[in-house]
């Protein structure tokens, strides 16, 4: 529509410019009603003075028409330059829009892939059989999965913002925790068995793994991720196997292995 609106005045100016020379070449008797065979001194009963005045007016009109013709030429050139600049701007805008469209398409694809990955991670987080705890760099709980609530008895809303020390059983001394945090600071992770206490006061064994998360750019510590599982059943099975291996099943006295 813009190009069409710009072409209309250009065509009009071009038409007028082409017609002006033809009009300027008309003969005097065509313009002032003189017959082709009329003598120069008389025309339709008019005197010589009237014809002279008409000829002078015609000369002045020719000069004025030349000025208008030059003006139209100038306007036509300016309009052509303006149209060329407009077309160049439209081409630049088209290339810019094409480049922007390609960049937006790439970003959309990357965002869609990131959303799918986040959705997959969220699904794994919610449906994991082991309990998962996410904390900030100071150890305050940011999020827990449903398995955490199933194992510990604490609901998500009850532990958000609190420290995992709420699960501390009291069975381990300070040296145990110092060794654990020293391993996390030096290697970035720790894995082992630990005794914790659930919401109802029951002490139970866990197989716990703690990993430190650092920012990829600055390398600064940002989070901790703890994954744990309840191993009470495993401990009970180990006790049964030890009982069967080292004690008589009838008398429950130590067998020859312990003697």
């Amino acid at each position: 529509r813009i190009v069409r609106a710009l072409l209309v005045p250009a065509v009009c100016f071009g038409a007028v410019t082409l017609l002006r020379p033809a009009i300027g070449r008309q003969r005097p008797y065509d313009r002032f009603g003189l017959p082709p065979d009329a003598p120069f001194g008389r025309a339709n009963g008019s005197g010589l003075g009237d014809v002279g005045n008409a000829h002078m007016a015609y000369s002045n009109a020719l000069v004025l028409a030349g000025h208008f013709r030059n003006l139209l030429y100038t306007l036509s050139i300016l309009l052509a330059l303006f149209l060329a600049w407009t077309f160049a701007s439209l081409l630049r805008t088209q290339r810019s829009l094409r480049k922007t469209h390609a960049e937006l398409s790439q970003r959309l694809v990357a965002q869609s892939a990131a959303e799918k990955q986040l959705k997959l991670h969220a699904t794994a987080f919610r449906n994991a059989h082991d309990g998962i705890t996410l904390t900030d760099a100071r150890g305050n709980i940011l999020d827990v999965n449903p398995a955490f609530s199933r194992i510990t008895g604490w609901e998500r809303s009850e532990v958000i913002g609190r420290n995992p020390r709420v699960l501390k059983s009291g069975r381990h001394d300070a040296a145990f925790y110092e060794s654990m945090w020293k391993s996390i600071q030096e290697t970035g992770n720790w894995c082992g068995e630990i005794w914790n206490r659930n919401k109802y006061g029951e002490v139970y064994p866990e197989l716990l793994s703690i990993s430190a998360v650092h920012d990829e750019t600055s390398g600064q510590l940002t989070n901790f991720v703890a994954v744990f599982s309840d191993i009470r059943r495993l401990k009970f099975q180990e006790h049964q196997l030890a009982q069967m291996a080292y004690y008589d099943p009838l008398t429950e006295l130590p067998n020859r292995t312990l003697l």
Side-chain angles (χ1 to χ4, degrees):
R1 295 181 180 179
I2 297 176
V3 175
R4 188 180 303 172
L6 293 175
L7 287 177
V8 170
V11 172
C12 293
F13 276 117
V16 173
T17 304
L18 293 175
L19 291 177
R20 293 298 297 178
I23 297 175
R25 289 194 298 269
Q26 287 182 340
R27 291 169 295 180
Y29 47 77
D30 292 333
R31 284 211 166 200
F32 298 101
L34 296 176
D37 55 349
F40 179 75
R42 308 185 64 86
N44 296 332
S46 299
L48 181 60
D50 295 336
V51 174
N53 293 333
H55 180 71
M56 183 177 297
Y58 172 71
S59 299
N60 294 333
L62 287 180
V63 174
L64 184 61
H67 292 326
F68 277 110
R69 186 162 54 249
N70 294 334
L71 179 61
L72 288 176
Y73 287 155
T74 304
L75 291 177
S76 299
I77 293 174
L78 293 176
L79 183 59
L81 293 176
F82 176 74
L83 289 175
W85 177 82
T86 303
F87 291 150
S89 300
L90 290 176
L91 290 177
R92 287 195 302 268
T93 304
Q94 184 181 14
R95 288 194 295 267
S96 177
L97 289 176
R98 189 181 296 112
K99 182 179 179 181
T100 303
H101 176 71
E103 292 178 355
L104 289 177
S105 299
Q106 293 177 357
R107 292 184 181 181
L108 181 61
V109 172
Q111 182 179 359
S112 178
E115 290 178 354
K116 290 180 180 179
Q117 188 174 14
L118 288 175
K119 186 177 180 181
L120 180 61
H121 290 174
T123 302
F125 179 78
R126 290 193 304 267
N127 297 304
H129 180 75
D130 295 338
I132 302 177
T133 307
L134 305 178
T135 72
D136 58 18
R138 294 177 296 178
N140 298 321
I141 297 177
L142 299 176
D143 201 1
V144 296
N145 68 339
F148 175 93
S149 301
R150 174 176 53 81
I151 296 173
T152 66
W154 293 93
E155 295 296 332
R156 179 178 180 275
S157 58
E158 296 176 321
V159 296
I160 296 297
R162 302 181 66 177
N163 194 280
R165 283 192 296 267
V166 68
L167 304 174
K168 192 174 181 180
S169 65
R171 286 198 176 189
H172 303 284
D173 55 10
F176 173 84
Y177 292 103
E178 290 178 1
S179 175
M180 180 180 70
W181 285 109
K182 182 180 179 181
S183 175
I184 295 174
Q185 292 175 358
E186 294 178 352
T187 65
N189 59 78
W190 179 86
C191 183
E193 293 184 6
I194 188 173
W195 290 83
N196 275 338
R197 188 185 305 273
N198 62 19
K199 181 180 179 181
Y200 311 107
E202 300 175 352
V203 178
Y204 62 96
E206 287 182 356
L207 182 61
L208 175 63
S209 174
I210 302 177
S211 299
V213 180
H214 297 82
D215 185 80
E216 295 182 356
T217 304
S218 63
Q220 185 179 2
L221 177 66
T222 58
N223 301 91
F224 291 104
V225 179
V227 181
F228 63 93
S229 58
D230 186 352
I231 58 174
R232 280 180 286 190
R233 181 175 298 179
L234 180 60
K235 286 293 185 180
F236 178 73
Q237 292 175 354
E238 288 180 355
H239 176 73
Q240 284 185 325
L241 291 175
Q243 189 74 17
M244 293 171 60
Y246 301 112
Y247 293 90
D248 185 79
L250 295 178
T251 63
E252 295 186 357
L253 297 174
N255 55 23
R256 290 178 299 178
T257 307
L258 294 178
L259 297 178

